Amino acid sequence: MIKVYDAIIIGAGIAGLNAAALFPKDKKVLVICKENSWDCNTFYAQGGVAVPYDRDDIDVHIKDTMAAGAGLCDREAVEILCRDGRASIDDFINRGFLFDSDEERNLHYTKEAGHSRARILHAGGDATGRHMHHFLMKENSHLLLYNSVVTDLLIDNDICHGVRVHHKGIFRNYYAKTTIIASGGLGSIYKYHTNARTISGEMQGLALEKGCLLQDMEMMQFHPTVFIHNKGARKQLLTEALRGEGAWIIDDNKKRFLFEYDDRGAMSPRNIVSRSIFDWRKKTGLNTYLDLHNFDKDFFKKRFPTIYFNLKDLGFNLPEDNVPISPAFHYAMGGIKTDLNGKVPGFKNLYAIGEVASTRVHGANRLASNSLLEGFVFSKRAVCDIEKNSFNFKIKQFIEDEEVLIKEDDKELKNRLRELMWENAGIVREYNNLKKTLIEIDKMLKSDVGKLLRLRLKTSKSIVQSAINRRESLGAHYIIKEGDK
Ligand code: SIN
């Protein structure tokens, strides 16, 4: 007799763990993590979680989200996010989670770019994601499989029977009535990124191979304020809340150059800030910095402890020192196309939630701190849908195929891919460079690569192809014609 889970969840970020928490306790749920549970983008989220401040703010939050999304948002998805968002957060607080508040237990809301009011809740100062993740992990009562790479979705006749996993050199199939992909984005495809090291877009590539649609893959978001000189793949994020609470962006001459691009200066939506920094550096050859002189030292240390101590380790004395900044890849708006319950069209029992999914809730440019909220809201919708609409089918056993996951030259090719994606499918794109990148990716795909790199290449190809197809700039996708250089 094979063991059949009620649900398999791929990924232990906010979407995955919250889904696990919402399944009734008697359900058999398996959560699968590629390495450690904290190797997810939730863990590193700093700024916080956006939520309508009160009932009157719901419509304003909808308007801000739609405006940032530059016309590509699905209005219904945004309405769901903002209307259900408050209840999801209140529910999380009732489950015992503590957001930062004052002595009278009034929640502290901060402001980030693109938001027309302070509506971002945070925890541990700038350690919101880490606190949430810790809470969700403590709450989790289901089985967690660590160091386990999902190498296949077991799909037959549009029904997903589970997943194949590689764990400590062994391939094994796990079967389930429902499979939920909550594996996060794709930061490792880019040279500079803020994502957990293991987040590399393989599940998007796998979904594509299995016949799922990827949507809006050209919509990749670059965070404007990242310290990129630290060692290691994940670069040091400097939360947008810093600017919301008084930080400036300046150049070598102490000029607040962003006002030359937009009246909102450093509080413009992040696609505008990233692009302006990129352009200013190119045009003037000057360096760009985050200037924190408006902060009192004790306040800064308490409010932004992660940044204070991480940067201290890198030799900075904050808030006195200016920090060199660059934009870096941060978030994928595009992903596996789903309906508003996270269900993958064309499959009977396959779901995708969180950053890996595309409901069009973020449109062409995600409003800051809307993604943790998305994780809460859409994980709940997916679990409700599964509980209401589960259907019976006979589990089919699949052969435990052994596949070569990594080959000798993969590392070199991966690095080349990161460079190519950063240079040509990054903040500013050119049609001809995108075309050349597509040819090079195709060449890599034809070479002798391991399965994991193949999946990463397929995801990258989808980004590049979508960027080529969208000839006009929109939101995070900025494309210039050769003559405009
Ligand atoms: C930040 O803290 O600036 C990141 C918030 C987000 O990406 O939503």
Side-chain angles (χ1 to χ4, degrees), residues 45-48 112 221 223 225 237-241 243 270 330-331 366-372:
Q46 293 183 351
E112 290 179 352
Q221 185 171 72
H223 197 289
T225 55
L237 178 70
L238 299 154
T239 176
E240 208 152 286
R243 278 174 283 140
R270 71 175 53 150
H330 186 56
Y331 187 87
R366 178 178 62 93
L367 186 65
S369 288
N370 263 358
S371 46
L372 291 176

Side-chain angles (χ1 to χ4, degrees), residues 151-152 206 209 403-406 449-455:
T151 63
D152 213 348
L206 184 56
E209 280 197 346
E403 298 163 285
V404 182
L405 299 181
I406 300 171
V449 296
K451 179 161 186 179
L452 297 181
L453 178 54
R454 186 178 87 225
L455 298 178

Side-chain angles (χ1 to χ4, degrees), residues 11 25 32 106 131 174 209 213 295 309 339 379 399-400:
K25 292 277 173 287
I32 302 177
N106 298 308
H131 281 234
Y174 289 88
E209 280 197 346
L213 291 178
F295 290 100
F309 286 107
D339 70 11
S379 57
I399 297 166
E400 286 172 351

Side-chain angles (χ1 to χ4, degrees), residues 224-226 238-259 266 277 287-296 300 304 307 311 316-326:
T225 55
V226 182
L238 299 154
T239 176
E240 208 152 286
L242 288 164
R243 278 174 283 140
E245 296 184 32
W248 291 356
I249 291 178
I250 57 166
D251 66 12
D252 287 316
N253 301 326
K254 302 204 177 330
K255 185 178 168 73
R256 295 172 75 190
F257 60 92
L258 290 173
F259 288 105
I277 293 174
N287 297 306
T288 48
Y289 306 87
L290 204 59
D291 173 337
L292 305 165
H293 79 274
N294 284 328
F295 290 100
D296 164 76
F300 188 86
F304 300 105
I307 291 171
L311 272 284
F316 289 88
N317 179 25
L318 300 186
E320 287 88 336
D321 292 347
N322 293 336
V323 188
I325 48 157
S326 159

Side-chain angles (χ1 to χ4, degrees), residues 154-170:
L154 308 176
I155 293 179
D156 180 56
N157 219 359
D158 300 334
I159 296 172
C160 185
H161 295 253
V163 297
R164 180 165 310 127
V165 162
H166 180 257
H167 176 78
K168 291 189 177 161
I170 293 167

Side-chain angles (χ1 to χ4, degrees), residues 13 85 104 110 171 323 383 421 429 468:
E104 275 90 48
T110 191
F171 287 90
V323 188
V383 173
M421 293 300 285
R429 296 145 180 200
I468 289 171

Side-chain angles (χ1 to χ4, degrees), residues 452-464:
L452 297 181
L453 178 54
R454 186 178 87 225
L455 298 178
R456 206 184 270 216
L457 283 164
K458 290 204 165 164
T459 303
S460 307
K461 181 172 174 176
S462 161
I463 296 172
V464 174

